[in-house]
Amino acid sequence: MCFTSQFWQLTVAGLAIGSLYALIALGYTLVYGVLQLINFAHSEVFMAGGFGGLFLVRELVGDTAPGGAAAVLITTAGILGGALAGAGTAFVLERTAYRPLRRRGAPRLAYLISAIGASLFLYNLAGKEFGRLAIPMPDIYTSGTVFHIFGARVTTNQLVIAGAALVMLIALDRLVAKTRLGQGIRAVAQDAETASLMGVDINKVITLTFIIGGLLGGAAGFLYGLVFNVQYTMGFIPGVKAFTAAVLGGIGNVRGAVLGGLVLGLVENYGVACASSAYRDIIAFMILVLVLLVRPSGILGERLGRSA
Amino acid sequence: MSNPTLERGETPGPGSRLPWHRNEDYRRMFSLLMVGLVVALMTGPSGNRDHPTDGFTGSWFHPRVLLFLGAAAAIGVLMTLYDRSKGAGRRNPLQPVIAPITAVRDRMTSQPLLRYSVYAAILVFAVLYPMTLTPFWQRVLVDQIGVYVLLALGLNIVVGLAGLLDLGYIAFFAIGAYTTAYFTGKLPVAPPFTLNPFEVVPIAILATLVAGVLLGGPTLRLRGDYLAIVTLGFGEIVRILAVNGDAFFGTNVTNGPRGAVGIPHPSIHAFGINYDWTLKSLPYYYLLLVLVVGLLIAFNRLENSRVGRAWTAIREDEVAAAASGVPTVKYKLMAFAIGASTSGFAGVLYASKVGFISPDNFLLLFSLLVVTMVIFGGMGSLPGVVLGAAVLQWMPQVLRGKVPPEDRYIYFGALLILMMIFRPQGLLPSRRRSRELKLSEEGLGGADSLGATPGTTS
């Protein structure tokens, strides 16, 4: 097979990018769980996280790359900055593009269109305010090979991404499974009307769901910016891929989104080794169409309510 | 209004005893002031990557922000006064404007003579007026407006009539354009025979029809919002293939990012008529006019046929339609394919008019632009869609030099949200569509083929 020669190297890279997809996919899946809607503007939440983290880190980093403990702190600050920017965007998005429609009980098409409008608005506004050129992340640390596993290089960037993603994924899983808010999210996902009769404040749950999705997506935006650049159009491709990951794992299913993200990251990297990196983005779309054809409910099945 | 569950107790009338921050008037004022700030930002100066805050400070810490905030406050006060004066049963303040238009429409429906004379007047205007325009505006009329009117008419079938959301619509336009480039011999791969762009039309329509069926076949069986994202992906696949097609398994197929150059103009050599279209825009305009009028008549007939009624039934309640024996997938596929082939057709005309195509002509943005036109004009309303496309393509030309061209998508995005909040039926709505939207908001029936309304039990 074409990917066996570099199998472990591809696996490491695939898991790193896959954990990013997983983080973004959670935003789609959570919102889908409570609203049964694809949040088309989630890719812009991701983009906002990229810019938020970038500008914060740019303030913190001086002319030379800091080392040691400072680098760890700045990276954490960047992740938090990205997460907050993402959460803020997601909150505003819910208030402006979704809630007015929900109050009126608008049909489904209206939500999709208003989300697309929000997406157009946000990324073009970002292009206007922050320039349309790609912006590199300042050097917080020098990314190099940290150790080898089965002969594959593992870089600092990949460790940071995978580590941060792992912490957030576990935190989210516990949140959904154990806390009162998580219970509320699952209840709304199962049956919004009954949940409201049982005393769940649906609006609050929906807002918080958007915020949680925004925190994860925004953090992912910063982490993505560490490896690639930050640009106003950066959200589109990872957004569609993360959506694919969510569908692959079973949309509405939290663990499914994580699984889907990792699987997508791996398949994409193996696929690139087989075809050409020019077709990297096509692979994800092909998987999406295939999944929808063969098993539209995804690997682990749909519905947030039943998953945790 | 039996608005189910959500927001219960959220909308007390003006003057009720509530903490001030829950009072409708204050909340509206807050929203308006926020909108004022956003508009100030949208119209303000731009920043760049080294000075990311310039745009914000230049918009908000500059006297001009007072203008926007003042306008927002004034609107808020006026709206509050208006509500107070009329009490709870408020009338639409735009009623004096809307009433005569509705009256004319009603008269037109009931009196065929009036209707046809209005159509004739519009047609005469459409024939004569462009002759008085400068070459620049004639070109805008063809390249920008005419082509997009065709596109919007096609997408209207998909979005407006069948209630499906297609976000990769421009891909079919690209397929049409590249088919033209191929059969006129302007792609690096030589065709079996070269054709005149007119002769490519049936081939392009067939190609896009097949592409539409291939794409729609698997996805139209699924929940409607999947279609949106799959078509989005499809649009990107076509573009990426076009960009990377200069090394498609070793052969140069599409010439990559450079695209195809020198696509010939169409010409007629039949029935003793010999006519060549050239660089001039006006002949193209009349060609487009004939086509648009033809399509308007055809689509109007289609809408009121068995097929059109099937689409309406699917849109309003897919389960009920299926139960009454409407083959839903077949009709959805039909709508999708008709839309796709219209787009492909427009692609042929565009390619032969402009003579040059590259993957940059087929960005996702343009798909969204066509969606915006259909929504803005009024989904499912033929005059609305034509008007929507014309206005949205005409405005940027008027605002040339005043608004940076890349910024216009900010406005389009805002327009989409505003339309969905305040006027989901569009500028010139179809009567049936407005009624559906209203009923659907009251919890009766649907208004699209995407499934139940979010937030209700499904």
Side-chain angles (χ1 to χ4, degrees), chain A residues 61-155:
Chain A
V61 177
D63 290 333
T64 51
V72 175
L73 279 178
I74 293 178
T75 312
T76 317
I79 294 174
L80 289 178
L84 288 179
T89 312
F91 173 76
V92 173
L93 185 71
E94 199 270 329
R95 277 297 162 101
T96 50
Y98 283 95
R99 185 165 295 198
L101 301 185
R102 221 143 41 73
R103 279 173 94 140
R104 226 183 44 211
R108 204 172 255 270
L109 188 61
Y111 289 82
L112 291 185
I113 291 164
S114 123
I116 290 164
S119 175
L120 258 182
F121 177 83
L122 283 173
Y123 86 80
N124 286 293
L125 189 66
K128 177 183 163 73
E129 298 303 335
F130 309 137
R132 291 184 172 79
L133 299 171
I135 316 176
M137 193 68 79
D139 291 324
I140 306 172
Y141 47 80
T142 32
S143 182
T145 310
V146 181
F147 59 84
H148 287 76
I149 182 166
F150 300 114
R153 282 176 291 111
V154 180
T155 63

Side-chain angles (χ1 to χ4, degrees), chain A residues 28 32 34-38 40 55 58 95-97 99-121 123-125 127-136 191-194 196-197 202-203 206 236-237 239-240 243 247 251 278-279 281-282 285-286 288-289 292-293 296 302-303, chain B residues 3 5-7 10-11 24 38 41-52 55-56 159 163 165 167 218-219 222-223 225-226 228-230 232-233 236-237 240-241 244 247-248 364-365 368 371-372 375 379 406-407 409-410 412-414 416-417 420-422 424 433 437 440-441 447-448 450-455 457-458:
Chain A
Y28 283 106
Y32 192 90
V34 293
L35 280 181
Q36 280 83 49
L37 272 179
I38 301 171
F40 262 99
F55 291 135
R58 218 158 63 169
R95 277 297 162 101
T96 50
R99 185 165 295 198
L101 301 185
R102 221 143 41 73
R103 279 173 94 140
R104 226 183 44 211
R108 204 172 255 270
L109 188 61
Y111 289 82
L112 291 185
I113 291 164
S114 123
I116 290 164
S119 175
L120 258 182
F121 177 83
Y123 86 80
N124 286 293
L125 189 66
K128 177 183 163 73
E129 298 303 335
F130 309 137
R132 291 184 172 79
L133 299 171
I135 316 176
D191 187 336
E193 197 146 341
T194 312
S196 84
L197 291 174
I202 299 190
N203 282 316
I206 290 174
F236 175 62
I237 293 283
V240 178
F243 174 75
V247 173
I251 195 155
Y279 298 110
D281 300 335
I282 291 185
F285 295 131
M286 291 295 182
L288 177 63
V289 175
L292 290 179
L293 270 177
E302 296 185 12
R303 287 222 77 129
Chain B
N3 197 351
T5 59
L6 309 168
E7 307 288 344
E10 272 276 331
T11 49
E24 268 284 278
V38 172
L41 189 64
M42 278 163 69
T43 53
S46 308
N48 60 53
R49 67 177 181 176
D50 297 317
H51 303 97
F56 294 93
V159 178
L165 189 55
L167 297 179
T219 41
L222 299 164
R223 234 186 343 238
D225 33 7
Y226 282 155
I229 203 126
V230 170
L232 187 81
E236 274 302 286
I237 290 184
I240 294 171
L241 283 178
N244 294 312
F248 192 72
L364 168 76
L365 267 179
L368 301 184
V371 172
T372 315
I375 304 295
M379 292 181 264
E406 312 89 39
D407 282 4
Y409 291 101
I410 307 177
F412 287 161
L416 277 181
I417 304 178
M420 281 305 113
I421 296 178
F422 296 110
R433 217 60 183 107
L437 286 166
S440 147
E441 285 173 10
D448 54 52
L450 303 181
T453 303
T457 40
S458 52

Side-chain angles (χ1 to χ4, degrees), chain B residues 116-135:
Chain B
Y116 288 115
S117 30
V118 169
Y119 290 163
I122 293 175
L123 194 63
V124 168
F125 176 76
V127 170
L128 296 180
Y129 178 64
M131 292 180 186
T132 64
L133 292 172
T134 59

